[in-house]
């Protein structure tokens, strides 16, 4: 917090004095000093607490008996030997010493990875800040702040001398050089007495020497560039030697950081980039020398960040295409230097390398360096493609070099180099036709950094990966709308979509492959799901856009591509059973419904129907069904939606194709209804056959497939039945299209109900509804037969006034009532007999209310005589069946009477 406060107020005060950079630097130094002072106070508090606990533990060990000592020895033998309290004190004091007195040595991994609170009650800081604290711990913040202010003052003094011309050149620079040499000498002389402060003095002294040599070469003609090069090289070697002799990473960092700040602080606005990059090349040579001999990752990172941030900033502000030949060798040298530094560090560290620092060097180097290379070669026609080819060759060579080591702990590093080589090789063709490096590079780097973060259990690396991926998405969104080129899969934004999709999916796969001990970030599991959804969308969107741009009918090919992706995920999940691969199936069915629904809505809006089952569409449906059920088969307990969704979709496609054919052939409405009925019959029969024989490629619960699955089809059958009932028709009685269609709808519904009744318990309301529809259908068939025989119009008012229709209804309903009552009497089915009696009562009521009004006609006379005779016959031959309860009582009474008679005898 104090660092940001110091930086803010320093920048504000510097702006008031027209020295923003100087004010910000001074404020940053004071903020760092204050923050380090507070942390040093906390460490001192922790040391005091540890000392008190050591004393308490010694007292307890002295007072405990021999048995307690032996128990403690068996349980805590990895910590200390309880039999000797001095050893325990030595061990704990060594931990305190590692925390305060010897910050150059890193803490042991188990101590650094503890997830409990420390003695002060504060949660431990992340690994990244622990490593930084290990470097800066023990530094006196006041000394550091004072040296920073002194260095800034000397820098401003050198600039002031150059502009004002005060004193002679020798005096001006001699004063500054002697100051630096004095700081170095004082720090070396008092290194044993001053401790860590001596390192600060020496680091500041080397930074001042860099300042003196740079000013002597840049502002004055005192020394030539060749002499300055030799002197700076000697200074680099001297600084490296001092750092190595004292085993001090802080000295190396301070000297290097000061060296990098010299050109910035003494800048006069002139664009002398050759001297600048030559000077930085020498500084980086010193970093390489130290990296070759020591494992100082913070020094590597300091040089890397300073070099590429400063050079990239200059490139964005000052670079011109005419400077290419002068700049390219320096940038290539920077890239090769830090590539070699990363290789050397990994070679010495092996599998122990971890954290954001290593990930930044491994993945950040190609990102920043290649970004610089793209800016350098943007005026060349094929500069991007050539640069990608060169980088691919460099990383392929490094991969071959690592493979020759034949070390198991370098396999991960070798895989990363191979992946980078393949990445740059895959960018050669896209860059030749145009692609955005920002989107592609950041997305691929985010995927690699996230994988490395999971493998090394570094949450900071994963945070960086998610931020990089967010930047890639934002960079791509700024180019919206996406474009498609004339050449398939090469021009346009296809590569951007594809790389984004693959990178996002790799993020999810990295989460699936994470070690069991890896700690997740807050809401990281949900973030992985969001990445998968975005990756799945980008993957499909890349191909869908190409098909839509180059094909007249893209829908079949889009479905084939989605089905091929699902088959690929099924093949991958066999080899690697990861949740990310299985999720392709969960989204495939909604995708298929969306694609077909979108096309259907478009055709409805345009009023032009197209074929959905052309040869291309049929192939797409076949591949879709195979891929979907190939994924669904091994699923343990899929949701009912995924079991029922595909049969419903296929039946929709059949109806769609049937309507298209009816439109194509210009069929009448009654013929179209018959065609649609045929399209509905196929899924109903097939589903019954597959369900009864258990031939589905997945477990098929009978209750689900006999009750729920046919509901949409039965609803469509009811709709067709209703249309066939209302629409007029022509032809023979009982053999016309409308009657046959009604009979088919009722028969298919009865087939479904009978199968349900045989396998499961039939729903009583469904059976009652179907019986009512059957009665209405029989009545309609009778009325239509009379209407077609007499040539009457199909109108309600005309048919109701017809005496022939009334006669047919009376006789037909009476015969139906006769059948119901006779069968009810024979089967002793009281409810069936009552239904027949209710129908007979309806006939009698119709006779007296309707037919009696025209009793003089022959039809009404026949109806009265026929209904009366049949009613008498029913009354004699089919009496009301006895109730089951009364019959049971009568049987019980008879048995009791017979028992009493036997007893009396």
């Amino acid at each position: 917090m104090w660092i940001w406060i110091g930086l803010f107020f320093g920048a504000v005060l510097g702006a008031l004095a027209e020295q923003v950079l100087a004010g910000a630097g001074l404020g940053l130094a004071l903020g760092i000093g204050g923050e380090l002072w507070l942390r040093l106070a906390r460490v001192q508090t922790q040391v005091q607490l540890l000392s008190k606990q050591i004393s308490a533990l010694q007292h307890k060990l002295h007072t405990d008996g021999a048995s307690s000592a032996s128990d403690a020895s068996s349980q805590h033998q990895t910590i200390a030997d309880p039999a000797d309290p001095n050893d325990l004190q030595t061990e704990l004091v060594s931990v305190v010493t590692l925390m305060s007195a010897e910050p150059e040595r890193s803490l042991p991994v188990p101590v650094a990875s503890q997830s409990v609170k420390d003695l002060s009650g504060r949660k431990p800081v992340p690994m990244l800040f622990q490593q930084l604290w290990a470097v800066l711990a023990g530094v006196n913040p006041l000394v550091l702040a004072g040296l920073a202010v002194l260095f800034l003052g000397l820098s401003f003094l050198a600039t002031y001398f150059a502009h004002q011309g005060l004193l002679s050149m020798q005096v001006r620079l001699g004063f500054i050089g002697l100051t630096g040499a004095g700081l170095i000498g004082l720090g070396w002389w008092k290194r044993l007495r001053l401790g860590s402060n001596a390192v600060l003095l020496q680091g500041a002294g080397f930074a001042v020497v860099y300042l003196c040599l740079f000013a002597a070469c840049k502002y004055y003609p005192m020394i030539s560039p060749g002499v300055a090069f030799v002197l700076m090289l000697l200074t680099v070697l001297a600084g490296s030697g001092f750092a190595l002799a004292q085993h001090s990473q802080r000295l190396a960092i301070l000297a290097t950081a000061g060296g990098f700040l010299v050109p910035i602080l003494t800048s006069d606005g002139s664009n002398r980039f050759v001297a600048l990059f030559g000077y930085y090349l020498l500084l980086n040579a010193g970093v390489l020398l130290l990296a070759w001999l020591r494992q100082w990752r913070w020094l590597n990172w300091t040089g890397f960040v300073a070099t590429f941030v400063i050079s990239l900033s200059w490139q964005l502000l000052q670079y011109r295409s005419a400077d290419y030949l002068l700049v390219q060798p320096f940038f290539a040298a920077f890239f090769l230097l830090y590539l070699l530094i990363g290789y050397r560090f990994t070679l010495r560290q092996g599998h122990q390398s971890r954290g954001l620092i290593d990930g930044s060097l491994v993945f950040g180097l190609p990102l920043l360096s290649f970004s610089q290379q793209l800016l350098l070669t943007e005026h060349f026609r094929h500069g991007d493609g050539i640069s990608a080819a060169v980088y691919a060759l460099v990383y392929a060579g490094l991969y071959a070099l690592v493979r020759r080591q034949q070390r198991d702990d370098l396999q991960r590093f070798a895989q990363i180099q191979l992946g980078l080589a393949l990445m740059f090789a895959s960018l050669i063709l896209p860059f030749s036709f145009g692609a955005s490096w920002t989107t592609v590079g950041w997305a691929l780097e985010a995927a690699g950094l996230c994988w490395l973060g999971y493998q090394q259990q570094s949450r900071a690396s994963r945070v960086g990966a998610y931020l990089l991926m967010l930047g890639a998405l934002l960079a791509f969104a700024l180019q919206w709308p996406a474009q498609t080129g004339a050449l398939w899969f090469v021009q346009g934004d296809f590569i951007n979509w594809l790389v984004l999709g693959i990178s996002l999916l790799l993020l999810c796969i990295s989460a699936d492959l994470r070690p069991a001990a890896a700690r997740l970030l807050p809401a990281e599991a949900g973030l992985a799901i969001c990445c998968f959804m975005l990756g799945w969308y980008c993957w499909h969107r890349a191909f869908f856009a190409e098909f839509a741009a180059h094909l007249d009918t893209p829908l079949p090919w889009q479905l084939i591509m989605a089905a091929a992706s699902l088959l690929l995920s099924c093949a991958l999940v066999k080899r690697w059973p990861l949740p990310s691969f299985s999720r392709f199936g969960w989204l495939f069915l909604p995708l298929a419904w969306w694609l077909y629904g979108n096309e259907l809505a478009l055709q409805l809006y345009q009023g032009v129907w197209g074929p959905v089952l052309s040869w291309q569409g049929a192939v797409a449906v076949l591949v879709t069904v195979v891929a979907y059920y190939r994924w669904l088969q091994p699923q343990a307990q899929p949701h009912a939606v995924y079991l029922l969704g595909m049969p419903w979709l296929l039946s929709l496609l059949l109806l769609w194709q049937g309507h298209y054919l009816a439109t194509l052939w210009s069929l009448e409405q009654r013929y179209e209804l018959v065609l649609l009925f045929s399209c509905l019959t196929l899924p109903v029969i097939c589903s019954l056959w597959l369900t009864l024989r258990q031939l589905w490629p997945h477990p098929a619960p009978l209750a689900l497939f006999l009750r729920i699955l046919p509901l949409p089809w039965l609803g469509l059958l009811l709709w067709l039945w209703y249309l066939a009932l209302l629409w007029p028709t022509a032809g023979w009685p009982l053999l016309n299209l409308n009657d046959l269609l009604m009979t088919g709808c009722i028969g298919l519904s009865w087939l479904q109900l009978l199968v349900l009744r045989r396998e499961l318990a039939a729903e009583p309301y469904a059976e009652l509804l179907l019986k009512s529809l059957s009665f209405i259908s029989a009545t309609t068939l009778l009325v239509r037969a009379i209407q077609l025989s007499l040539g009457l119009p199909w109108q309600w008012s005309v048919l109701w006034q017809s005496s022939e229709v009334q006669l047919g209804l009376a006789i037909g309903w009476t015969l139906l009532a006769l059948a119901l009552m006779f069968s009810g009497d024979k089967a002793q089915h009281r409810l069936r007999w009552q239904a027949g009696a209710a129908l007979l009562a309806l006939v009698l009521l119709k006779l007296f209310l309707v037919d009696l009004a025209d009793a003089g006609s022959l039809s009404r006379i026949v109806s009265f005589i026929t209904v009366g005779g049949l009613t008498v016959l029913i009354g004699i031959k089919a009496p009301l069946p006895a109730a089951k309860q009364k019959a049971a009582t009568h049987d019980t009474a008879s048995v009791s009477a017979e028992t009493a008679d036997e007893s009396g005898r």
Side-chain angles (χ1 to χ4, degrees), residues 65-140:
S67 59
S68 301
S70 61
D71 294 340
S73 175
S74 61
Q75 296 178 4
H76 305 285
Q77 57 184 357
T78 58
I79 300 177
D81 186 5
D84 190 357
N86 295 327
D87 293 342
L88 178 62
Q89 180 180 4
T90 304
E91 182 69 22
L92 291 176
V93 170
S94 66
V95 175
V96 178
T97 306
L98 286 173
M99 294 175 59
S100 58
E102 298 182 8
E104 296 297 330
R105 297 165 57 186
S106 60
L107 292 174
V109 175
V111 176
S113 60
Q114 289 179 354
S115 59
V116 298
K117 293 185 178 181
D118 58 16
L119 297 176
S120 62
R122 300 176 61 88
K123 293 184 178 179
V125 295
M127 179 65 68
L128 174 65
F129 300 103
Q130 287 182 348
Q131 294 173 355
L132 181 60
W133 174 250
V135 176
L136 298 179
V139 174
N140 192 320

Side-chain angles (χ1 to χ4, degrees), residues 497-514:
W497 281 112
L498 188 64
V499 172
L500 272 177
I502 293 176
S503 301
L504 287 164
L505 292 176
L506 287 177
L507 284 178
C508 304
I509 294 174
S510 300
D512 296 337
L513 293 174
R514 67 179 182 271

Side-chain angles (χ1 to χ4, degrees), residues 820 823-834 881 884:
L820 290 174
S823 62
D825 176 66
K826 185 176 181 179
Q828 292 297 305
H829 197 289
R830 190 180 180 89
L831 183 60
R832 187 183 305 170
W833 191 94
Q834 291 173 347
K884 291 183 179 180

Side-chain angles (χ1 to χ4, degrees), residues 4 104 134 170 186 197 258 279 357 478 500 643 670 724 767 856 882:
W4 297 108
E104 296 297 330
Q170 292 81 1
L186 180 62
N197 294 330
Y279 169 70
I357 307 305
L478 294 177
L500 272 177
L643 297 176
R670 51 181 179 170
E767 187 172 354

Side-chain angles (χ1 to χ4, degrees), residues 638-645 704:
H639 195 274
V641 173
Y642 291 93
L643 297 176
L644 306 179
L704 185 65

